[in-house]
């Protein structure tokens, strides 16, 4: 048993507690002497920053909840009362409002950091998947939270987004009615949203706990993407990273406070200062900025998916589907079917499938019984694409089976990934614009579709193909080696 | 160091883009920017302008527009003392009750009452305004892109409608209203309200003062917020500098 090997503490009170419940031993093991690669850059700060923001949101949220009224006739006024008549209510609310944005900024950087340095690869798959789940829960929480002040964007955003579920055939409409608790977004909706908005952050907290647990089992990745081999490659978490994280957090907080105190409404939409009115639709319904890239993907799918296109998509992932089928057959029919060696996508299938899907798209509606059979209507296609865009992240460890983790040693991956980041930000811009906007004389929706295509192609085509074709640069012998030679180079440059 | 520069640059790009995205939405013609004393991180309200703005609101706008999030006692922030606030409130009659007989009764308003609304309900407000609802003004500068600039622009932006635009009865043409058609007739004229402090009695000045007042009404804690903000940012800067030194020292044996 672990407690048998417990080292005793000098302080008698600490020792008394620790010998009964080894909290101090645990903290020391996980946050004191815990070995961490010594070559982190500042991108590794954002996990700690995100945790800080989660706590900030929970604390300010609970204080808001003490004054907030979840009733359609009172919600807007109760928030205004917080802003005007509750001591420091304006501060608490502005921290909560801008805190959601900065929480997302931190988490987006954290996620793209993970993609860049290959942190999703073995043995960190579960750690990665838990992260994606946290992100999905955050999106749900923030969306629901935005409904609570019951402004025009709250109401109409809720109406548009909940209505998306009606795209699913047969079960769609009942699901929407069930979500609403009625036949439109109304008082029951607001009430359950408040209940869920209170609940979800604590579920996020629990998943964060699992996420950190998994992290402390496999250890952190690092900018070189190679595992530490011995003590020379690591440092104890305290004081090295406690100090570095604190510094990074403070810099982040300076930017955060600049928004809270000097432009608290800059990230919000003015329409949410107009009380919700079911009879007046805003000219232009937009979600909060952190949803915009996904909103653009939703709106990019304006075409129906026909039988041939679906067949093409299926063909792209044939090896995967076939192997799953073979496994099921073996399980239930005790019969061995020939299998593909790995589950990961293969270039011939990917490209063949893409060609079929492209042909199906080009010939939409022209070939009876093939391209004139709509399988997925445009609206449902958009919804699937939007959720798929995030769910895809879960499969990254298998879509990318390249043995090298870090983009520093994969120049092609690095370039295409940085294009993906730009593509994603561009999608955000597309999402912020009205559906009929133009760019350089062409409908913006065309650019939105191209950007969406690149987004998906990066994950399902580029990653699997690069896994096989990219050579990669030679890896350093160890973290220690790389750090030493970097220092030598830096010193030589100074002379 | 290089990594840090990358990190910061990346972060700044994201930051720079996000508000641009949020704001890229407006389709109304841009309201010209005015010179406000409350702009910028050190900006404060100009009490004289706030008092003139209150006068414009009370004499003109209050005929149609409510400001239901404000209490008369809030006027203390404009520099009025208790007696003056009592006097202002007492000019309005509000319904109170029920009394011990169960009857509602009228009484002069007190500082603890909310601003009296001109109409009993939305239907009455619409009926009096050709079917258009005059919005509550307590939050108007937060509820429109451009804020105070926009309110000033609306009040000064009335024009003859161009030939191709046909106005129905009750409609007016305004350069800055999205879609240009507005149900509110131009509410201000030169010399309409007598100013006692010698400020120009022009539509432009009235519009500036009332927009100033409405900005305060929507954001009454702005001065507190900015003052606190300066202290918080200075504290964080100093703390970050110390942390940076501590971090350098901690890592010294590694470099
Ligand atoms: C994951 C953490 C959280 C996120 C991302 C989040 C997000 C949001 C957002 C975006 C809003 C709308 C802000 C606005 O425009 O006014 C909001 C409002 C609100 N949240 Fe949260 N929240 C979180 C945690 C919590 C918690 C734990 C509570 C506690 C019960 C809470 C209580 C409230 C209340 C009462 C409001 C309505 C008042 C207002 O709109 O300012 N939140 N939240």
């Amino acid at each position: 048993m672990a407690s048998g090997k417990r080292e005793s503490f000098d302080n008698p009170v600490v020792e008394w507690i620790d010998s009964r419940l080894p909290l101090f031993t645990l903290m020391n093991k996980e946050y004191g002497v815990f070995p961490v690669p010594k070559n982190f850059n500042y991108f590794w700060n954002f996990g700690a920053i995100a945790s800080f923001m989660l706590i900030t949101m929970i604390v300010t949220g609970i204080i808001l909840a003490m004054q907030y009224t979840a009733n359609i006739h009172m919600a807007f006024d109760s928030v205004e009362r917080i802003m005007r008549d509750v001591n420091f209510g304006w501060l608490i609310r502005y921290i909560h409002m801008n805190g959601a944005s900065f929480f997302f900024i931190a988490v987006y950087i954290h996620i793209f950091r993970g993609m860049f340095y290959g942190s999703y690869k073995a043995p960190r798959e579960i750690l990665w998947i838990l992260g994606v789940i946290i992100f999905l829960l955050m999106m749900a929480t923030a969306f629901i939270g935005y409904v609570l002040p019951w402004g025009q964007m709250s109401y109409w955003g809720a109406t548009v987004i909940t209505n998306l579920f009606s795209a699913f055939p047969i079960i769609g409409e009942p699901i929407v009615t069930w979500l609403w608790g009625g036949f439109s977004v109304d008082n029951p909706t607001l009430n359950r949203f408040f209940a869920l908005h209170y609940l979800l952050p604590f579920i996020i907290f629990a998943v964060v706990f699992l996420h950190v647990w998994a992290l402390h089992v496999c250890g952190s990745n690092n900018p070189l993407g190679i595992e530490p081999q011995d003590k020379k490659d690591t440092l104890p978490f305290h004081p090295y990273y406690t100090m570095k994280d604190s510094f990074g957090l403070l810099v982040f907080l300076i930017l955060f406070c600049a928004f809270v105190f000097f432009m608290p409404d800059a990230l919000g939409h003015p329409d949410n200062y107009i009380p919700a009115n079911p009879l007046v639709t805003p000219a232009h319904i937009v979600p909060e900025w952190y949803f915009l890239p996904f909103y653009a993907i939703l709106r990019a799918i304006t075409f129906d998916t026909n039988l041939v296109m679906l067949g093409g998509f299926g063909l792209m992932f044939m090896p995967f589907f076939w192997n799953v089928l073979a496994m099921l057959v073996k399980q239930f029919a005790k019969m061995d079917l020939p299998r593909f060696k790995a589950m990961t996508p293969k270039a011939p299938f990917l490209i063949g499938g893409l060609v079929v899907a492209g042909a199906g798209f080009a010939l939409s509606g022209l070939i009876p019984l093939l391209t004139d059979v709509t399988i997925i209507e445009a609206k449902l296609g958009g919804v699937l694409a939007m959720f798929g865009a995030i769910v895809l992240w879960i499969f990254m460890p298998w879509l990318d089976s390249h043995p090298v983790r870090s983009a520093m040693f994969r120049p092609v991956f690095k370039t295409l990934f940085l294009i993906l980041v730009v593509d994603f930000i561009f999608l955000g811009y597309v999402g912020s614009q009205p559906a009929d906007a133009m760019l350089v004389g062409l409908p913006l929706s065309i650019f939105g579709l191209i950007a969406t295509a690149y987004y998906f192609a990066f994950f399902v085509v580029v990653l699997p193909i690069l896994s096989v074709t990219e050579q990669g640069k030679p890896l350093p012998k160890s973290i220690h080696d790389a750090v030493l030679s970097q220092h030598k180079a830096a010193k030589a440059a100074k002379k | 160091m290089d990594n840090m520069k990358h990190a910061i640059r990346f972060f700044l790009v994201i930051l720079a883009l996000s508000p641009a995205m949020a704001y890229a939405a407006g389709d109304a013609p841009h309201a010209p920017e005015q010179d406000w004393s409350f702009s910028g991180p050190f900006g404060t309200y100009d009490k004289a302008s706030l008092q003139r703005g209150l006068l414009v609101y009370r004499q003109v706008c209050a005929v149609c527009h409510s400001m239901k999030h404000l209490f008369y006692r809030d006027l203390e922030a404009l520099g009025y003392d208790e007696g003056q606030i009592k006097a202002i409130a007492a000019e309005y009659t509000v319904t109170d009750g029920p009394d011990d007989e169960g009857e509602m009764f009228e009484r002069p308003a007190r500082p603890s009452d909310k601003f009296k609304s001109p109409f009993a309900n939305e239907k009455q407000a619409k009926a009096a305004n050709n079917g258009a609802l005059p919005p509550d003004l307590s939050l108007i500068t937060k509820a429109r892109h451009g804020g105070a600039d926009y309110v000033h622009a609306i009040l000064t932006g009335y024009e003859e409608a161009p030939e191709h635009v046909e106005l129905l009865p009750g409609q007016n043409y305004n350069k800055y209203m999205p879609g240009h058609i507005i149900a509110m007739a131009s509410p201000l004229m030169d010399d309409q309200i007598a100013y006692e402090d010698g400020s120009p009695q022009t539509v432009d000045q009235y519009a500036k003062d009332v927009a100033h007042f409405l900005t305060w009404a929507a954001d009454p804690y702005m001065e507190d917020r900015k003052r606190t903000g300066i202290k918080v940012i200075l504290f964080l800067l100093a703390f970050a500098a110390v942390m940076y030194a501590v971090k350098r020292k901690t890592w010294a044996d590694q470099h």
Side-chain angles (χ1 to χ4, degrees), chain B:
Chain B
M1 234 18 228
D2 217 35
N3 282 327
M4 183 164 126
K5 263 190 236 141
H6 281 309
I8 292 178
R9 209 177 305 146
F10 184 78
F11 191 68
L12 287 181
V13 167
I14 301 259
L15 265 187
L17 281 170
S18 37
M21 285 173 180
Y23 267 130
D27 49 356
H30 205 66
E33 269 180 42
Q34 307 294 318
D35 192 15
W36 303 108
S37 68
F38 51 76
S39 324
F42 301 99
T44 53
Y45 292 123
D46 168 358
K47 288 212 170 96
S49 180
L50 289 181
Q51 293 198 359
R52 292 194 300 269
L54 172 68
L55 192 67
V56 176
Y57 169 73
R58 292 211 302 148
Q59 294 202 358
V60 183
C61 325
V63 178
C64 304
H65 292 280
S66 62
M67 288 188 77
K68 63 192 174 86
H69 293 294
L70 265 75
F71 292 92
Y72 290 109
R73 61 163 192 247
D74 295 334
L75 294 176
E76 212 186 305
L78 273 51
Y80 293 113
D81 61 30
E82 228 185 289
Q84 286 170 310
I85 294 173
K86 269 195 185 139
I88 292 174
E91 288 177 31
Y92 299 87
T93 313
V94 293
T95 309
D96 200 349
D99 62 15
D100 293 343
E101 271 75 53
E103 304 292 336
M104 302 302 278
F105 60 92
E106 311 252 297
R107 63 161 173 79
R110 295 191 283 253
S112 57
D113 283 316
K114 288 203 157 171
F115 272 33
K116 189 181 180 190
S117 300
F119 301 107
N121 50 53
E122 284 193 6
K123 289 241 166 77
Q124 197 187 46
K126 279 189 183 167
N129 284 285
N130 288 317
L133 180 70
D136 183 87
L137 291 184
S138 347
L139 281 166
I140 198 77
T141 57
K142 281 188 180 181
R144 297 288 184 280
H145 284 290
D149 290 331
Y150 175 80
V151 171
H152 172 268
I154 284 285
L155 295 174
T156 53
Y158 285 91
E159 281 180 347
E160 279 297 315
E163 302 238 319
H164 64 274
V165 178
E166 226 172 286
L167 295 177
L168 301 173
Q171 288 188 337
N172 306 277
Y173 190 87
N174 192 305
K175 236 193 316 193
Y176 298 106
M177 183 77 178
H180 300 304
I181 308 274
I182 184 165
M184 169 170 73
S186 174
L188 297 169
M189 299 178 293
D190 287 348
D191 284 322
Q192 182 180 9
I193 305 144
Y195 276 161
E196 282 166 12
D197 62 359
S199 300
Q201 305 188 13
T202 57
V203 169
D204 184 67
Q205 186 63 35
Y206 294 147
K208 274 192 185 130
D209 290 335
V210 79
H212 203 121
F213 166 73
L214 292 174
T215 305
W216 164 79
D219 197 0
Y221 286 101
M222 182 211 68
E223 293 182 354
D224 269 359
R225 194 182 76 227
K226 289 179 179 171
R227 260 200 307 270
T228 317
I230 305 267
K231 284 184 212 145
V232 169
I233 300 261
L234 284 178
F235 169 76
L236 287 174
L237 279 172
F239 194 4
V242 170
M243 259 343 279
Y244 186 65
V246 171
K247 185 245 151 195
R248 293 282 297 194
K249 192 138 195 294
T250 314
W251 282 75
D253 59 354
Q254 295 298 320
H255 287 301

Side-chain angles (χ1 to χ4, degrees), chain A residues 53-69 75 78-80 82-83 89 92-94 96-101 103-104 134 137-150 154 194-202 204-205 265 268-269 272-273 288 290-291:
Chain A
M53 290 316 292
L54 175 61
I55 303 295
T56 306
M57 294 308 286
I58 290 180
V59 171
T60 51
I62 290 176
I63 301 175
L64 286 173
M66 292 175 188
Q67 307 282 351
Y68 170 80
T69 312
S78 79
V79 172
E80 255 330 288
I82 293 172
M83 295 292 285
I92 301 292
R93 195 224 177 184
Y94 277 151
H96 199 77
M97 239 169 101
N98 289 280
S101 282
F103 193 12
F104 272 93
I134 292 170
L137 287 169
M138 273 175 68
M139 293 183 87
T141 308
F143 160 66
I144 288 172
Y146 193 60
V147 178
L148 301 186
W150 209 245
S154 299
F194 183 44
L196 290 173
H197 189 69
Y198 211 132
L199 170 68
L200 285 177
F202 294 92
I204 294 178
F205 192 87
D265 292 308
H269 198 291
N272 230 27
Y273 279 108
E288 293 278 86
Y290 35 81
F291 293 130

